[in-house]
């Protein structure tokens, strides 16, 4: 049954791995974005020069509802990094399965065009997150994509793949993996790394594209590959390090 839950991040804050994103998550397509959000820039999220409120619309396939701890940590992160004095709110809705075993970027765009109901207004900016029940259609070999940021305000998580690679022996917990993917993809929307938010000092990992060269950072490339276990502590969500944090602050964030 579909249901809609609205709650503010301020309420969330009182409540008590690896994340793979494809090249789509860093090099946004040049074609016009769904809901005409192609004019949205990372600074619009970070500062309140134009928008002082943010609405995050999260839609998930039934059975793949994100853990409350995962949305709590995403809420905390956004509250800490974005200047939005008018508030940050989230809507959450379950949908029936589209019946696919894998999803392409085109599939994600089609679903967003059908389901996304929140569009930017005079002072309110919007973001879109979808959690689907299949794998990424462009997976190759053993490397699995867990999330993509495919537009200026659009992100998706491949919920089935997240589950496949969490909770088992030697794997991160589902919460750690899911939270890592959510934060990693949102950071691409915020312009990291060199993806619309200028670098204060060069820390771009040119070999892996639009990721941080700091091996301990949330935006290090290994946070999106099976190298996670050998690079990060399995039961701890990686954090942004100084160079990425400085970039966000320099572009209007906290």
């Amino acid at each position: 049954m579909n249901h809609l839950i609205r709650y503010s991040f301020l309420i969330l804050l009182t409540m008590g791995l690896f994340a793979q994103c494809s090249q789509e998550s860093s090099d946004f397509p040049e074609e016009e974005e769904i809901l005409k959000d192609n004019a949205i820039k990372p600074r619009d999220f970070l500062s309140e020069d134009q928008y002082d409120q943010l609405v995050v619309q999260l839609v998930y396939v039934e059975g793949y509802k994100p853990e409350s701890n995962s949305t709590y940590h995403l809420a905390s992160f956004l509250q800490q990094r974005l200047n939005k004095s008018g508030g940050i709110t989230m809507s959450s809705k379950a949908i029936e399965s589209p019946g696919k075993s894998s999803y392409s970027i085109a599939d994600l765009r089609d679903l967003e065009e059908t389901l996304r109901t929140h569009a930017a207004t005079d002072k309110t900016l919007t973001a879109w997150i979808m959690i689907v029940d299949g794998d990424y259609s462009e997976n190759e070999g053993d490397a699995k994509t867990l999330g993509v940021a495919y537009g200026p305000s659009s992100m998706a998580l491949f919920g089935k793949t997240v589950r496949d690679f969490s909770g088992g022996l030697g794997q991160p917990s589902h919460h750690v993996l899911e939270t890592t993917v959510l934060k990693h993809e949102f950071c691409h929307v915020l312009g990291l790394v060199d993806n619309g938010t200028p670098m204060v000092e060069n820390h771009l990992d040119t070999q892996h594209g639009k990721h941080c060269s700091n091996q301990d950072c949330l935006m290090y490339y290994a946070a999106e590959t099976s190298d996670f276990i050998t690079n990060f502590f399995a039961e701890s969500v990686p954090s942004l390090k100084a160079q990425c944090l400085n970039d966000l602050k320099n572009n209007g964030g906290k």
Side-chain angles (χ1 to χ4, degrees):
M1 178 183 298
N2 291 358
H3 60 280
L4 180 65
I5 304 170
R6 293 181 179 275
Y7 51 95
S8 72
F9 279 1
L10 294 178
I11 293 175
L12 277 171
L13 290 173
T14 64
M15 296 171 58
L17 147 107
F18 61 92
Q20 173 129 357
C21 59
S22 74
Q23 195 65 24
E24 292 279 358
S25 69
S26 50
D27 297 321
F28 296 144
E30 294 180 357
E31 64 187 274
E32 186 176 24
E33 295 298 332
I34 293 170
L35 300 183
K36 302 185 185 300
D37 74 344
N38 55 319
I40 298 298
K41 300 293 185 290
R43 186 175 179 87
D44 294 326
F45 284 94
L46 292 164
S47 77
E48 55 182 17
D49 296 344
Q50 182 170 348
Y51 302 100
D52 63 10
Q53 299 180 58
L54 173 65
V55 174
V56 179
Q57 184 178 2
L58 191 155
V59 171
Y60 58 91
V61 173
E62 289 181 341
Y64 289 87
K65 181 179 181 179
E67 293 189 15
S68 58
N69 279 347
S70 301
T71 53
Y72 168 83
H73 281 91
L74 177 63
S76 299
F77 173 79
L78 296 177
Q79 191 72 24
Q80 291 168 359
R81 300 302 165 201
L82 310 187
N83 282 298
K84 293 288 174 275
S85 61
I88 302 173
T89 60
M90 178 180 288
S91 69
S92 177
K93 180 179 180 179
I95 63 167
E96 294 181 359
S97 172
K100 290 179 172 291
S101 60
S102 65
Y103 294 81
S104 66
I105 295 299
D107 292 331
L108 297 174
R109 289 183 183 281
D110 288 344
L111 288 168
E112 180 180 1
E113 187 172 19
T114 301
L115 298 168
R116 186 170 180 172
T117 58
H118 298 302
T121 58
D122 289 344
K123 298 296 290 182
T124 302
L125 185 60
T126 68
W128 166 265
I129 302 173
M130 185 170 188
I131 303 178
V132 294
D133 56 342
D135 300 313
Y136 183 40
S137 64
E138 300 300 316
N139 284 339
E140 296 182 357
D142 294 332
K144 304 298 181 183
T145 295
L146 301 187
V148 289
Y150 57 91
S153 67
S154 305
M155 296 150 275
L157 273 66
F158 301 99
K160 174 185 177 298
T161 318
V162 171
R163 288 191 176 176
D164 287 345
F165 289 92
S166 62
L169 183 63
Q171 294 179 332
S173 68
H174 183 259
H175 156 65
V176 166
L177 183 57
E178 185 174 62
T179 302
T180 299
V181 180
L182 284 168
K183 291 174 68 174
H184 184 97
E185 301 311 329
F186 219 114
C187 282
H188 278 309
V189 167
L190 299 181
L192 297 176
V193 175
D194 195 32
N195 193 41
T197 288
M199 293 183 292
V200 175
E201 58 179 302
N202 190 355
H203 59 107
L204 179 65
D205 182 352
T206 55
Q207 181 179 355
H208 300 99
K210 306 302 182 184
H211 290 97
C212 184
S213 58
N214 187 328
Q215 298 183 18
D216 297 323
C217 184
L218 171 66
M219 298 310 291
Y220 185 58
Y221 91 94
E224 66 176 21
T225 72
S226 55
D227 288 338
F228 176 87
I229 297 300
T230 58
N231 284 271
F232 298 107
F233 178 58
E235 287 306 313
S236 178
V237 178
S239 61
L240 290 178
K241 301 308 179 187
Q243 291 168 314
C244 282
L245 291 173
N246 288 341
D247 291 349
L248 296 182
K249 292 176 183 178
N250 188 58
N251 201 31
K254 294 180 182 178

